[in-house]
Amino acid sequence: MSQSIEAEPKPRVRSATKRATKGARWNNAVSGSDEQYELKRQAVIAEASKAFGRHGSQNVSLDEIANALNVTKPALYYYFKSKQELIYECHELAMKIGDQVLKDAIASESTGYERITAFMRNYITHLTDQMGAPAILHDFSAMTPADRKKITARRRKFDLQLRNIIEEGIRDGSIAPCDARLAVFWFMGAISSIPQWYHADGGLTGDQVGEVFIRFLADGIRPQAAYPTIS
């Protein structure tokens, strides 16, 4: 059901903690106009992430996103000034998910290996379930130079955090000695490739993909002494 928008836009509420939920749609019942505004804004980001991920941002119009949400195109401009801004927010959503999942993994696990596998498992599940494995993670060209710079800086910080965990795992013995930088490039490259083949309505769930990737990771970096010797 389409919803008309107010004549004057309300101030934007940029929440660092709210995340779009799977299947979010325009007519969610929420209390308070500010909360309703933010929930609808997050619904647009989630739907755009899925559409951009499936078809590429250059091949998806705002009209198509509006149709998927069953709203008018002017309603989208109530929440976003341009398609470029929306693309940036899709990248931001992916980064926020990654930051939170990594934070949770560090807090809940004790060894480097456990933290890396907890991160991989939950990050893959979030990306595939909430965002439809967005290929937009590869698309920097559609953002403004300023937005591209911000996302690049965030990715570098995120990459360094993952390297630190690998190095911690090497020190605590849960990960075999390796080049932490290349290890992160390897498994994050594998995760980043998911949009090229994953479909939410296919034969595998995000959880299943995560478990398979973790088994590949274990065979690659766990100490060989952890496995029985085959005579």
Side-chain angles (χ1 to χ4, degrees), residues 76-222:
L76 297 188
Y77 285 111
Y78 178 54
Y79 297 91
F80 300 95
K81 293 181 294 186
S82 65
K83 184 178 176 180
Q84 281 186 317
E85 181 184 357
L86 181 54
I87 291 170
Y88 168 74
E89 290 296 341
C90 290
H91 282 272
E92 269 289 301
L93 175 60
M95 294 304 303
K96 287 177 183 178
I97 290 174
D99 288 343
Q100 186 60 53
V101 169
L102 185 57
K103 181 180 178 180
D104 292 344
I106 292 172
S108 63
E109 306 297 339
S110 57
T111 70
Y113 177 77
E114 290 169 342
R115 287 172 173 175
I116 284 295
T117 54
F119 161 75
M120 286 181 63
R121 179 182 295 110
N122 293 323
Y123 188 52
I124 291 172
T125 296
H126 275 72
L127 289 183
T128 53
D129 287 355
Q130 292 194 29
M131 299 178 68
I136 193 172
L137 292 173
H138 297 280
D139 189 357
F140 277 60
S141 61
M143 286 190 290
T144 66
D147 286 343
R148 188 159 55 243
K149 184 176 180 180
K150 287 186 286 185
I151 292 297
T152 299
R154 289 195 63 175
R155 289 191 176 193
R156 287 175 179 167
K157 180 180 178 181
F158 188 71
D159 179 80
L160 288 174
Q161 289 179 294
L162 291 172
R163 292 186 202 180
N164 288 338
I165 295 175
I166 293 290
E167 290 167 354
E168 290 170 3
I170 294 171
R171 289 192 293 270
D172 66 35
S174 63
I175 294 176
C178 63
D179 185 316
R181 181 176 64 95
L182 293 181
V184 172
F185 285 163
W186 170 65
F187 67 74
M188 288 305 293
I191 292 173
S192 297
S193 73
I194 291 175
Q196 299 175 17
W197 53 266
Y198 180 81
H199 296 281
D201 56 354
L204 293 174
T205 66
D207 289 338
Q208 290 171 326
V209 172
E211 292 304 323
V212 170
F213 274 40
I214 288 169
R215 287 202 296 272
F216 290 150
L217 179 75
D219 290 337
I221 68 173
R222 288 182 72 187

Side-chain angles (χ1 to χ4, degrees), residues 47-60:
E47 188 62 40
S49 294
K50 293 176 183 178
F52 293 153
R54 286 191 296 267
H55 308 295
S57 61
Q58 295 182 347
N59 300 317
V60 178

